[in-house]
Amino acid sequence: MYYAEAELVKKFEQEHEFFKTQLKLGEEILWLTQKECIEAGPTIDETLELVNQTMIYHGRKEYEMPAKIGIHPFDDVFFHAMPAYVPKNLACGMKWIECFPRNPNEYNLPQTTGLLVMNDIMTGVPVAVMDCAWLTAMRTPAVTVLAAAALHPDATTFGMFGCGVQGTEHVRFVGHTLKKLERIYIYDIIPERMDELIEKVKDEVDIEIIKAEPEEVVKSSEVLSSATICVREPIYFGKKEWVSKGQTILPCDLNTFWDPEISLEADKYIVDSIGEHQLFDDMGYFPDGLPEIFCETGEILAGLKEGRTSPDQLIVCSNIGISTNDVSMGHKILFKAIDMGLGIKLKL
């Protein structure tokens, strides 16, 4: 547990007094739609700055965040409850999010939906409920590209598997941290999604984007990421024989997409949360065994652990999403929304 020192408690009290000027605490909450969250949300650069600082707090253990718990009505879906407390960001709340990959095709609904509840730290009362899909789409690639820059700063090539919301955002984000990037290779099992990705980012990404077959993506890219699905049995889509020493692989889909032997044989296996990976191991998501964990991503970003120490190291950095980033993003969105006069007040 992390208990705040006196100076932070004063800030909590100040924030509590501010909330009292905006809401009847304990009687009202502010409701923010996805559109309003986007309007009040941070830019890519602001997101990178916030997530980087939050990951450093995580690396320094200046937070409280239990491993995400979930329910799984079907084998290919999940609901996750993700509480977190980041005292130095004055952020406290919980995300309730679900992922149903079949939704777009079968129900014409988004794959990922959910809500974020933000609380007043001094009293615990809820102060806001907001969409969390957009902020999740922003904080996830932020962690990937920050880790990529820390582990492989001179990379000129990047490969992305999965061209949905997360894949698109990764392509938008990656050039902000990998400053020497020359080419981005992409692949999706649904070809039209690659064209859709290119169309969506064409006005803001001036790096060459190349549609390629899976083997070419892997063999052509120094840094790779995947944002596909999370299921208990690995699908072995990313083949071990395609991977070379010196690459950096940053999956967002746990142990699903890549041949598990890649992670087991990597020179360093880094994760965003040891506790969460151990929990998923207990649930059967690592049937070949959880690789030996070198450290957490936040420890790399905080400078507490060394990342790449030689050019021929194969590094896998698995970032499946931690709620410290969610509540920190939610806090920033909430205060900007209040400043902009967004949202409606609802009775509790």
Side-chain angles (χ1 to χ4, degrees), residues 266-277:
D267 295 288
K268 289 181 179 176
Y269 182 69
I270 300 165
V271 301
D272 53 358
S273 167
I274 292 173
E276 293 196 351
H277 280 73

Side-chain angles (χ1 to χ4, degrees), residues 144-154 178 223 246 248-250 268 270 297 300-301 306-310 315-317 319:
T144 297
V145 304
L146 288 165
L151 296 168
H152 215 127
D154 295 327
L178 293 181
V223 177
T248 301
I249 302 175
L250 301 119
K268 289 181 179 176
I270 300 165
T297 308
I300 298 290
L301 296 178
E306 280 192 290
R308 180 174 297 282
T309 53
S310 74
I315 297 179
V316 176
C317 180
N319 300 294

Side-chain angles (χ1 to χ4, degrees), residues 99 174 191 222-223:
C99 181
V174 69
E222 296 161 89
V223 177

Side-chain angles (χ1 to χ4, degrees), residues 99-113 165 193:
C99 181
F100 278 61
R102 66 177 83 133
N103 273 2
N105 290 333
E106 295 185 16
Y107 296 99
N108 195 31
L109 290 170
Q111 174 173 309
T112 300
T113 54
V165 172
R193 286 184 180 164

Side-chain angles (χ1 to χ4, degrees), residues 44-207:
I44 289 178
D45 287 332
E46 289 170 341
T47 298
L48 288 168
E49 181 180 3
L50 175 61
V51 171
N52 184 61
Q53 185 59 69
T54 305
M55 293 298 292
I56 290 172
Y57 292 150
H58 189 275
R60 294 174 180 167
K61 313 305 180 197
E62 297 174 350
Y63 70 96
E64 185 173 1
M65 184 197 77
K68 64 181 75 170
I69 59 172
I71 56 176
H72 309 83
F74 306 100
D75 188 57
D76 62 336
V77 308
F78 64 76
F79 293 76
H80 283 155
M82 302 173 62
Y85 163 54
V86 187
K88 290 187 177 178
N89 285 344
L90 308 184
C92 175
M94 187 182 79
K95 183 169 82 169
W96 176 240
I97 191 166
E98 55 279 343
C99 181
F100 278 61
R102 66 177 83 133
N103 273 2
N105 290 333
E106 295 185 16
Y107 296 99
N108 195 31
L109 290 170
Q111 174 173 309
T112 300
T113 54
L115 297 172
L116 178 70
V117 179
M118 298 299 297
N119 297 79
D120 173 33
I121 297 176
M122 285 307 299
T123 65
V125 301
V127 292
V129 178
M130 67 183 74
D131 164 76
C132 72
W134 180 79
L135 67 85
T136 299
M138 292 287 280
R139 63 78 154 142
T140 304
V143 175
T144 297
V145 304
L146 288 165
L151 296 168
H152 215 127
D154 295 327
T156 60
T157 52
F158 174 74
M160 186 70 221
F161 286 101
C163 296
V165 172
Q166 289 292 355
T168 300
E169 295 305 321
H170 275 71
V171 171
R172 289 178 65 229
F173 271 68
V174 69
H176 287 254
T177 62
L178 293 181
K179 301 296 186 179
K180 297 182 180 180
L181 210 58
E182 297 173 359
R183 294 180 301 281
I184 299 172
Y185 295 86
I186 61 172
Y187 174 81
D188 195 287
I189 196 168
I190 301 174
E192 308 89 79
R193 286 184 180 164
M194 292 187 277
D195 294 322
E196 291 168 2
L197 182 154
I198 292 170
E199 178 66 23
K200 286 175 182 175
V201 306
K202 66 180 182 180
D203 294 331
E204 55 184 305
V205 177
D206 57 5
I207 301 163

